[in-house]
Amino acid sequence: MPKPYSLAGRSTIAVLLLSVLSGCNMVVMSPSGDIAAQQRDLIVISTVLMLLIIVPVLFLTLFFAWRYRQSNTAAKYDPEWHHSTGLEVIIWSAPLAIIIALGAITWVSTHKLDPYRPLDRIDAARPVTEETKPITVEVVALDWKWLFFYPEYGIATVNEMAAPVDVPINFKITASSVMNSFYVPALAGMIYAMPGMQTKLHAVINKAGEYEGLSSNYSGDGFSHMRFKFHGVDQAGFDAWVARVKQNGTMLNRDAYLKLEKPSVKEPVRYYASVENGLYEAVLNMCVREGQMCMKDMMHIDMMGGAGVESHENRAKLEHDNRHTGGVTEAAAPAATFPETGNPAKSEEPAEGVKEEQPAAEPMNHDMHKTH
């Protein structure tokens, strides 16, 4: 019969192990969306295929060390042995077969799980039909918060979004300043958010619940708090959520957006009952502020061969990053970069303690066509 202290010790260890395991959130390996589930299956299949080589190699390493130990005089000793065709076939054919299998799986999955590809199924048992109507969510990565537009409902939210269960979601994703990465582990894989560009993601949530979304690309001081809540609800719950946003929200126009765009950490959830027409397109084209030239207009000028000498007037229209200063006289925001030289970035004043260099007699030649 076991001793009392032995039972107590085992019970303590069991409780500690359970408490540690209960704190583990294996959401990547237990997702709630079909795209994330397919990505999980890809991880499992790839791992199993690689273990087909790794496990036998580890076993044979230990076996050979034990079998041909110095004290084992029964082991065959053949100092003249140098080649075995059969062994070579086994050594090379097994990894080759696994590489071919992994290559085929990667090729198929790369196209099937392309984030730009519209969904062809709700889950493994239900395909997407012509009657299936997706919803569109336009995502903007700000410093350091997330802004979600629902163009079909005329609303917007900050650091919270919702979607009906078993309804395809078409994400359009961009950023206001630096590059971020939109990621809801339970829903689908991560996709970059970049200023002046739009990426896409197609996904679906299959289980109701509250899930965490985050930025998976470092973007500055408030990066670690750049998180949001994703609510997977039934259609009635989604309609109630939309009604709550419209009831409790305010107006999101360009002025409100420019205030929201400034860097902030741990931003609370915000609701906007209405959104100014064309605001997301203005954010995407980096022309929310009055007088800015939109990216699409600049690209059109480039496509037509440039604007010639008149293009010098466009310089002020192309200054987009005003997150840290409201003008030349305003002090830098707390999150702005301030060099150790004592002068602001791009300042015309020389650094403290550094003598200003005299200009060279002849300017440097930057014409690459005339260099050797």
Side-chain angles (χ1 to χ4, degrees):
M1 182 172 179
K3 297 181 180 180
Y5 70 86
S6 179
L7 290 175
R10 294 175 184 177
S11 301
T12 302
I13 294 175
V15 171
L16 290 175
L17 289 175
L18 288 175
S19 63
V20 171
L21 292 176
S22 63
C24 297
N25 186 6
M26 299 291 290
V27 62
V28 174
M29 302 308 295
S30 182
S32 301
D34 184 62
I35 295 297
Q38 294 183 67
Q39 294 171 337
R40 182 270 318 275
D41 295 341
L42 182 60
I43 294 174
V44 173
I45 293 172
S46 301
T47 302
V48 170
L49 285 175
M50 290 185 286
L51 287 177
L52 292 178
I53 287 294
I54 295 174
V55 172
V57 168
L58 293 177
F59 171 77
L60 290 175
T61 300
L62 297 175
F63 173 76
F64 288 151
W66 174 82
R67 178 72 174 82
Y68 296 101
R69 65 191 185 278
Q70 184 177 8
S71 60
N72 186 13
T73 58
K76 182 179 179 180
Y77 175 67
D78 187 3
E80 301 299 327
W81 182 90
H82 63 89
H83 178 75
S84 172
T85 302
L87 188 59
E88 291 285 346
V89 171
I90 295 174
I91 290 175
W92 291 105
S93 61
L96 181 61
I98 291 177
I99 291 173
I100 293 174
L102 284 173
I105 293 172
T106 303
W107 173 268
V108 174
S109 300
T110 299
H111 294 83
K112 186 177 181 181
L113 299 177
D114 183 359
Y116 280 60
R117 179 185 179 184
L119 300 184
D120 56 4
R121 73 182 204 182
I122 301 299
D123 55 31
R126 292 175 294 174
V128 172
T129 62
E130 295 181 357
E131 291 76 20
T132 304
K133 184 180 179 181
I135 66 168
T136 300
V137 181
E138 297 167 339
V139 184
V140 180
L142 303 173
D143 294 323
W144 286 275
K145 48 199 168 282
W146 293 95
L147 175 62
F148 302 99
F149 293 92
Y150 286 78
E152 298 159 340
Y153 300 91
I155 62 173
T157 59
V158 172
N159 286 344
E160 181 180 284
M161 68 165 295
V165 172
D166 296 335
V167 174
I169 312 170
N170 298 340
F171 288 101
K172 298 178 180 180
I173 306 169
T174 189
S176 65
S177 56
V178 299
M179 184 170 67
N180 276 281
S181 185
F182 178 78
Y183 187 32
V184 183
L187 181 68
M190 63 187 73
I191 187 78
Y192 282 118
M194 295 170 282
M197 301 179 66
Q198 178 177 271
T199 52
K200 296 180 180 181
L201 176 66
H202 294 85
V204 61
I205 194 72
N206 300 117
K207 297 179 183 178
E210 182 181 288
Y211 307 100
E212 185 177 31
L214 65 150
S215 172
S216 56
N217 188 81
Y218 180 73
S219 58
D221 293 353
F223 160 75
S224 58
H225 300 289
M226 193 173 174
R227 299 172 179 270
F228 64 92
K229 293 297 181 183
F230 174 80
H231 300 280
V233 294
D234 57 18
Q235 187 62 50
F238 179 74
D239 294 338
W241 180 81
V242 172
R244 185 168 67 253
V245 172
K246 290 186 176 182
Q247 181 180 0
N248 300 326
T250 58
M251 173 67 179
L252 180 61
N253 53 23
R254 294 189 180 226
D255 291 336
Y257 171 81
L258 290 174
K259 295 178 182 178
L260 180 66
E261 185 186 35
K262 292 185 179 296
S264 61
V265 181
K266 295 184 179 180
E267 189 73 19
V269 173
R270 296 175 182 265
Y271 292 154
Y272 297 97
S274 58
V275 179
E276 181 178 331
N277 290 334
L279 180 56
Y280 173 76
E281 292 298 325
V283 174
L284 173 61
N285 285 280
M286 304 178 70
C287 55
V288 178
R289 283 189 295 121
E290 184 178 356
Q292 284 184 303
M293 177 180 288
C294 294
M295 291 288 294
K296 60 182 180 180
D297 298 329
M298 189 69 228
M299 289 189 290
H300 177 73
I301 293 175
D302 292 341
M303 184 180 66
M304 299 302 293
V309 294
E310 293 83 5
S311 62
H312 72 278
E313 299 178 357
N314 295 334
R315 181 181 180 278
K317 299 179 182 179
L318 295 174
E319 293 180 353
H320 295 282
D321 193 355
N322 70 326
R323 295 168 300 146
H324 305 305
T325 58
V328 293
T329 60
E330 184 176 337
T337 301
F338 201 85
E340 291 295 332
T341 58
N343 296 325
K346 300 183 180 179
S347 173
E348 297 181 358
E349 297 295 329
E352 295 180 358
V354 179
K355 295 182 179 180
E356 186 176 5
E357 296 183 359
Q358 297 296 325
E362 295 183 1
M364 184 180 293
N365 182 11
H366 290 282
D367 188 354
M368 298 303 295
H369 296 286
K370 297 180 180 180
T371 58
H372 297 284

